Amino acid sequence: MESNMKVAILGASHKPDRYSFKANQMLQEYHHEVFQIFKDQKLTELLGQGIDTLTLYVNPQILEKELNDIVALNPRRVIFNPGTEDKRIEKMLQNKGIHVVEACTLVLLRTNQFDKA
């Protein structure tokens, strides 16, 4: 993955104590173009944006409802942050040719692995 990626955050928050808020700040610090998807928004708003990475901050029950939109968005990679993991959904995405990573976006950024994972 190249630097300065287009990254979408599913489960974005305006609350500074949330990890999705911290991820947004850190992704911008690392010069990535960030698209935040809050709970009242749809992923389909990003169709045509060419999203490189979709990083998840929603529980698997919500994720299940978003599965078709994730596939339609067709990101190159989906990061399942801690607490979002769902092996069945991960397998479905992999079967669609989407690279899946179980990791913390913040840790990947701080350890210079975000562009490589």
Side-chain angles (χ1 to χ4, degrees):
M1 301 266 168
E2 67 279 357
S3 293
N4 304 323
M5 289 185 260
K6 290 184 176 185
V7 181
I9 299 173
L10 180 60
S13 175
H14 294 295
K15 298 177 182 176
D17 62 327
R18 299 285 186 158
Y19 287 111
S20 61
F21 182 91
K22 295 172 196 251
N24 175 49
Q25 288 186 313
M26 195 177 295
L27 285 161
Q28 289 183 43
E29 285 174 27
Y30 283 74
H31 307 289
H32 296 294
E33 186 176 354
V34 182
F35 300 87
Q36 296 184 81
I37 302 298
F38 298 91
K39 66 179 177 180
D40 60 338
Q41 294 178 291
K42 301 288 281 168
L43 271 172
T44 52
E45 294 176 26
L46 298 180
L47 290 176
Q49 291 292 333
I51 299 298
D52 297 299
T53 298
L54 173 64
T55 185
L56 304 174
Y57 289 93
V58 295
N59 68 46
Q61 291 81 12
I62 292 173
L63 192 54
E64 178 93 31
K65 296 173 191 169
E66 300 289 338
L67 184 58
N68 289 335
D69 290 346
I70 293 171
V71 171
L73 186 64
N74 194 30
R76 291 188 208 167
R77 167 178 69 174
V78 174
I79 298 175
F80 285 78
N81 285 278
T84 65
E85 305 94 336
D86 185 306
K87 295 294 184 194
R88 188 179 61 79
I89 292 174
E90 291 175 28
K91 184 75 170 162
M92 293 168 120
L93 294 176
Q94 288 171 330
N95 289 341
K96 297 288 185 181
I98 298 170
H99 181 60
V100 169
V101 178
E102 281 188 11
C104 174
T105 298
L106 300 171
V107 172
L108 291 174
L109 286 164
R110 282 287 186 232
T111 59
N112 295 315
Q113 296 179 62
F114 187 82
D115 296 348
K116 301 171 185 132

